[in-house]
Amino acid sequence: MSAPTLSATRKTGSASMSVFERYLTLWVFLCIVFGVALGQLLPGVFQAIGRMEFARVNLPVGLLIWVMIIPMLVRIDFGALHQVKDHWRGIGVTLFVNWAVKPFSMALLGWIFIRQVFAPYLPAEQIDSYIAGLILLAAAPCTAMVFVWSRLSDGDPYFTLSQVALNDLIMIFAFAPIVALLLGIASISVPWDTLITSVVLYIVIPVILAQLWRKWLLAKGEAQFQQALAVIGPYSVAALLATLVLLFAFQGEAILRQPLIIAMLALPILIQVFFNSALAYGLNRAVGEKHNIACPSALIGASNFFELAVAAAISLFGFDSGAALATVVGVLIEVPVMLAVVKVVNSTRGWYERGV
């Protein structure tokens, strides 16, 4: 990212969230109600949408996912990776939590709560799928939304940018192997070709297109670039909400039969978020990183790239799968949980700095 953009980022350090970001939980709840109602009223329409597939990829959803993800990836500057060396300890903590702890801790929590504690209350045929959805959610570190959380905690924008760019780069190569490994450990069979197709469609191609688009926009000047980001942002939001409506239209029967299923899926996600954020925050303090480095490090370790998780779950398991529902629960609780983490890291700044 160019210097003017970073300067603008610093000036918005105390900026509030947009209306969509602040009320994301409300929008998701409305999507649940609207989607379930439409699914009951127009089942034939959604069955027709579900059949619009090519090579196991649902074409309407594939298009929506691209519209959702690409505008977010346009914001990422892979040229910022050279800044990693300036805060190598914070980056090390982030990578350790994101890739060595987070997916594995979620797999463990899924096994404890979904396969053991809540198993008698869940549909037996969907238990494997629920666990798969939780693993997909944890294997994709947050990208765009972490800039919001970093701003609210006065995190260093250079560090936030570099760690997001590095995580996106690693995701291209690590997402599929980690998901395949953990699903294999959980005795859940997923065809490698389908998994690789998901990675290419929803990570590799969007990253390439977004970076080409970014380069083209920046060639017109910083002001034009920022104006373009403001224009394309709402399209990303609209695509996310439309995808959620489709998902809940397919999930309507399961939700109406057992509404508490959402709470049962939310519990392991909540535990994982607070555990990973606390671990990253504490490890940064232990290695002597500054507070404005520890905050974005903890926040990116806690939140998820839920757009990718939703897309992969649909491709691998289908619209009406437990995996798709589990990833959407991650979207539902994202904002209130992350705002709670932001509040904790802000309120403990004095304690943190006494130990550095």
Side-chain angles (χ1 to χ4, degrees):
M1 185 175 286
S2 60
T5 304
L6 286 170
S7 175
T9 304
R10 285 193 182 279
K11 289 177 183 177
T12 58
S14 59
S16 60
M17 303 167 69
S18 71
V19 172
F20 169 73
E21 292 163 346
R22 183 169 294 279
Y23 297 105
L24 178 60
T25 300
L26 173 61
W27 307 139
V28 176
F29 178 76
L30 292 176
C31 285
I32 294 176
V33 176
F34 193 51
V36 170
L38 284 179
Q40 298 300 303
L41 292 172
L42 304 169
V45 173
F46 289 98
Q47 288 170 9
I49 293 174
R51 289 192 296 267
M52 296 172 67
E53 290 188 350
F54 178 76
R56 293 196 63 178
V57 175
N58 185 273
L59 298 180
V61 172
L63 177 61
L64 287 172
I65 295 296
W66 274 27
V67 176
M68 187 193 316
I69 291 178
I70 291 176
M72 297 180 181
L73 294 175
V74 170
R75 300 174 183 271
I76 307 302
D77 178 15
F78 287 99
L81 287 174
H82 70 277
Q83 299 167 17
V84 168
K85 65 181 188 304
D86 298 332
H87 296 289
W88 61 270
R89 291 172 297 182
I91 288 291
V93 168
T94 303
L95 296 182
F96 171 71
V97 172
N98 282 349
W99 299 105
V101 176
K102 186 178 179 181
F104 299 91
S105 63
M106 181 59 96
L108 176 61
L109 289 168
W111 179 82
I112 292 172
F113 287 99
I114 305 303
R115 204 178 289 282
Q116 303 297 323
V117 178
F118 296 140
Y121 313 103
L122 295 170
E125 70 279 4
Q126 290 282 20
I127 286 179
D128 284 351
S129 189
Y130 293 141
I131 294 175
L134 295 177
I135 290 171
L136 287 168
L137 193 64
C142 184
T143 54
M145 286 290 282
V146 79
F147 292 110
V148 176
W149 313 132
S150 181
R151 278 207 314 271
L152 295 177
S153 62
D154 200 23
D156 185 295
Y158 292 92
F159 176 79
T160 305
L161 180 63
S162 60
Q163 72 168 2
V164 168
L166 183 58
N167 267 293
D168 278 0
L169 187 61
I170 292 173
M171 203 182 308
I172 293 173
F173 304 99
F175 180 77
I178 287 178
V179 168
L181 172 64
L182 291 175
L183 292 181
I185 292 173
S187 300
I188 301 170
S189 177
V190 174
W192 260 100
D193 59 342
T194 306
L195 186 53
I196 295 298
T197 300
S198 296
V199 171
V200 171
L201 278 177
Y202 301 125
I203 304 179
V204 178
I205 294 178
V207 165
I208 293 172
L209 292 177
Q211 290 304 298
L212 291 174
W213 194 6
R214 174 188 174 85
K215 184 177 180 180
W216 180 70
L217 289 172
L218 284 172
K220 297 185 172 186
E222 182 65 29
Q224 290 272 18
F225 176 69
Q226 294 298 331
Q227 185 179 3
L229 290 182
V231 170
I232 64 179
Y235 289 99
S236 180
V237 171
L240 171 62
L241 297 180
T243 303
L244 295 181
V245 169
L246 283 176
L247 277 171
F248 286 116
F250 281 93
Q251 296 283 349
E253 286 295 331
I255 293 172
L256 290 174
R257 285 197 309 268
Q258 201 169 14
L260 286 179
I261 200 168
I262 291 177
M264 287 186 274
L265 290 170
L267 183 58
I269 299 174
L270 287 169
I271 295 173
Q272 184 243 15
V273 166
F274 290 120
F275 169 74
N276 285 303
S277 58
L279 178 62
Y281 194 55
L283 287 176
N284 273 288
R285 187 174 188 260
V287 300
E289 274 289 6
K290 296 178 181 179
H291 186 261
N292 68 345
I293 300 298
C295 289
S297 177
L299 293 163
I300 199 171
S303 54
N304 304 294
F305 189 180
F306 51 74
E307 296 87 353
L308 171 61
V310 170
I314 294 171
S315 293
L316 293 171
F317 299 97
F319 264 121
D320 55 352
S321 66
L325 181 59
T327 57
V328 171
V329 172
V331 189
L332 180 63
I333 67 174
E334 173 86 4
V335 170
V337 173
M338 293 310 300
L339 286 176
V341 175
V342 167
K343 184 173 183 179
V344 170
V345 297
N346 285 342
S347 63
T348 58
R349 180 168 184 167
W351 165 83
Y352 184 97
E353 293 180 341
R354 285 195 297 271
V356 176

